């Protein structure tokens, strides 16, 4: 049915509980910042609205809330590299070691160990972010190719089917870029650009089984996210009541924010762990297929950029991902 073990993934979540709690603290903090700044902005707008009639007050309260929400959005955009570097990649590094049956070093926390592992592979946050963006660009080409193929088929209700396809393709792209990063950690590659190139080729030559697993995970993650959203509606309604004007729609937005924080803090690493299991199981014993590398080379400018950086990094004597893989075995 699928190529991963839910029990094993949950077990790894328990083993990395310090990191899960760290993620919860970070993303709940982000959600709370959105709620508080939106409330502050709405409160300021409500106060300014006292200078006019009821219509003016309602409009100024709304735009004040939008301004507060937007300020946090800008801050989050600036911090996106840090979140990928410290939160996501760090957790992946620890999960990879535990998935391979390794024990974590004693004498320092999981977060300290993860930070050291990420720095060892990628150096600065900007380097990891650049690799991640190139991987996502290549994956978008692959999923666009799948969408295009299905769009040409004479399937009854094709438009509705493509919407469902798009939903699970978001899971495929949203988590696979981090699985490719996991491949770099697992092979202990000194050249992360080259490891990412090989990881993408291996993913491309195994699209069918990987998309099958992505479809199952899409059902699981979206289903659990909806349940969490329903649970969050009650406290969100209280928050909405406290915001000036008592907008009922605010409760839905707040519930979505807190459901999002649980999704990225808990459900996302769970799904990544499942996809890591499926990916590593599928590619076991395989080597990158030159034909698939040529296909990606022709389809994606991002892949060509990645190859160029891999070659440049290799030429500086940083080592190859193949040597790293052999060393890890």
């Amino acid at each position: 049915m699928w190529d991963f073990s839910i029990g094993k993934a949950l077990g790894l979540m328990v083993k990395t509980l310090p990191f899960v709690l760290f993620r919860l603290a970070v993303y709940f903090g982000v959600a709370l910042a959105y709620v508080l700044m939106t409330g502050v902005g709405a409160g300021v707008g409500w106060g300014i609205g006292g200078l006019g009639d009821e219509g003016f007050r309602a409009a100024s309260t709304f735009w004040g809330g939008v301004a507060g929400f937007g300020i946090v959005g800008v801050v989050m955009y600036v911090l996106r590299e840090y979140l990928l570097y410290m939160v996501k990649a760090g957790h992946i590094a620890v999960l990879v070691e535990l998935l391979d049956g390794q024990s974590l070093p004693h004498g320092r926390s999981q977060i300290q160990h993860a930070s050291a592992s990420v720095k060892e592979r990628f150096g600065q946050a900007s380097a990891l972010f650049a690799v991640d963006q190139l991987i996502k660009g290549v994956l978008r080409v692959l999923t666009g190719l799948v969408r295009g193929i299905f769009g040409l088929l004479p399937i009854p209700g094709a438009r509705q089917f493509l919407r469902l396809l798009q939903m699970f393709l978001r899971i495929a792209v949203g988590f696979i870029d981090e699985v490719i990063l996991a491949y770099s950690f697992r092979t202990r590659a000194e050249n992360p650009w080259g490891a990412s190139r090989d990881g993408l080729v291996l993913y491309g030559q195994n699209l069918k089984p990987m998309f099958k697993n992505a479809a199952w995970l899409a059902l699981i993650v979206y289903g659990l996210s909806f349940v969490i959203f329903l649970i969050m509606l009650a406290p969100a309604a209280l928050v909405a009541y406290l915001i000036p004007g008592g907008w009922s729609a605010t409760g839905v937005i707040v519930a979505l924010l807190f459901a999002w924080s649980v999704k990225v803090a808990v459900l996302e690493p769970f799904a990544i762990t499942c996809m890591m299991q499926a990916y590593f199981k599928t590619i076991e014993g395989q080597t990158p297929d030159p034909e698939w590398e040529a296909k990606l080379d022709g389809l994606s400018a991002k892949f060509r950029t990645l190859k160029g950086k891999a070659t440049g990094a290799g030429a500086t004597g940083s080592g190859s991902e193949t040597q790293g893989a052999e060393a890890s075995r």
Side-chain angles (χ1 to χ4, degrees), residues 19 48 57 68 80 157 172 191 295 301-302:
F19 233 110
I48 295 174
R57 169 167 277 181
R80 69 196 189 284
N191 179 353
K295 284 182 184 179
K302 299 281 188 182

Side-chain angles (χ1 to χ4, degrees), residues 143 146-147 150 161-176 203 207-219 222 275:
T143 53
V146 174
R147 281 198 307 270
F150 278 99
F161 175 77
L162 284 173
R163 286 175 184 168
L164 291 173
L165 181 67
Q166 180 68 30
M167 185 174 72
F168 101 79
L169 285 177
R170 288 195 191 103
I171 296 289
V173 174
F175 297 147
I176 285 296
Y203 176 72
L207 273 182
K208 185 177 179 181
M210 294 311 300
F211 275 10
K212 177 194 72 175
N213 286 282
W216 282 112
L217 273 174
L219 292 174
Y222 278 105
M275 289 297 286

Side-chain angles (χ1 to χ4, degrees), residues 224-298:
L224 290 175
S225 298
F226 181 68
V227 172
I228 293 169
F229 167 70
L230 293 179
I231 293 172
M232 293 294 179
L233 274 177
L238 175 62
V239 174
Y241 176 77
L242 296 175
I243 291 178
W247 303 340
S248 59
T250 308
V252 177
I253 295 172
V254 171
L256 284 171
L257 279 172
F258 282 108
W260 165 82
S261 65
V262 174
K263 176 181 176 293
V264 295
V266 180
L267 296 184
E268 186 176 288
F270 164 77
I272 290 169
T273 305
C274 290
M275 289 297 286
M276 282 166 51
Q277 292 179 63
Y279 179 73
F280 293 146
K281 179 180 178 180
T282 302
I283 69 170
E284 186 68 33
Q286 295 185 17
T287 56
D289 184 349
E291 290 187 12
W292 257 101
E293 182 172 343
K295 284 182 184 179
L296 290 176
D297 201 45

Side-chain angles (χ1 to χ4, degrees), residues 169-184:
L169 285 177
R170 288 195 191 103
I171 296 289
V173 174
F175 297 147
I176 285 296
D177 65 310
E178 290 165 320
V179 173
I180 302 299
L181 294 177
Y183 176 81
S184 181

